[in-house]
Amino acid sequence: MARKKHSSVDEEAQIDMTPMLDIVFIMLIFFIVTTSFVKPSGLEYNKPEAAHATSKPSANIFIGISKTGLIMMENRQVDIERVSANVERMLAEAPEAAVLIQADKEAKHGLVIRVMDQVKAAGVDKISVSAGKD
């Protein structure tokens, strides 16, 4: 009987990459789903002190108000009349969003109230104002 010689080129050992790629894609999907996206207001400010400040879960919509009256949303300056439209647009992306207003302690009280009115006009009832503890 003649024996066939197996050629080493045809039967080379190969590593199946499919299971590893499946795991990598599953991990990628897991990290995308569990990541919370934070959109800072893009404004440096000094928090006013509060004796009874409580910690709340992170909000989805951040509005920053500087001591000079500058209003920032998504790292860009916004006019007071456009706050409502911007909040409505953000609510379309995340309907259960809450708003966090980060106002400098030297910001004018009237401006903060006007921003809160604009947010309420956009249909948001969950509004928080950032404050530090004593």
Side-chain angles (χ1 to χ4, degrees):
M1 261 193 199
R3 255 186 181 191
K4 288 187 174 181
K5 290 187 177 183
H6 298 294
S7 93
S8 62
V9 176
D10 292 340
E11 295 182 12
E12 208 172 280
Q14 294 181 357
I15 297 174
D16 188 14
M17 299 294 282
T18 306
M20 185 181 72
L21 290 174
D22 288 345
I23 291 172
V24 169
F25 285 130
I26 289 171
M27 287 175 49
L28 179 68
I29 291 169
F30 172 77
F31 287 121
I32 289 172
V33 169
T34 58
T35 301
S36 64
F37 298 99
V38 176
K39 299 177 185 175
S41 64
L43 188 65
E44 292 294 321
Y45 65 98
N46 294 321
K47 291 182 185 177
E49 298 298 323
H52 301 287
T54 57
S55 183
K56 297 279 184 187
S58 64
N60 301 85
I61 301 172
F62 294 98
I63 302 173
I65 304 172
S66 72
K67 63 183 172 184
T68 59
L70 186 70
I71 301 169
M72 299 288 288
M73 294 178 74
E74 295 182 324
N75 290 327
R76 60 187 173 84
Q77 184 177 348
V78 177
D79 193 35
I80 186 72
E81 289 81 19
R82 301 297 304 156
V83 170
S84 180
N86 281 297
V87 171
E88 285 175 357
R89 180 182 51 80
M90 291 178 190
L91 277 177
E93 297 171 7
E96 293 297 317
V99 173
L100 177 64
I101 298 175
Q102 300 170 325
D104 192 279
K105 67 180 178 180
E106 296 178 20
K108 296 197 187 246
H109 179 73
L111 181 61
V112 176
I113 298 300
R114 287 178 61 197
V115 168
M116 291 175 76
D117 285 342
Q118 289 286 319
V119 171
K120 284 199 177 257
V124 177
D125 291 325
K126 296 181 247 174
I127 303 172
S128 300
V129 178
S130 179
K133 283 191 173 186
D134 285 332

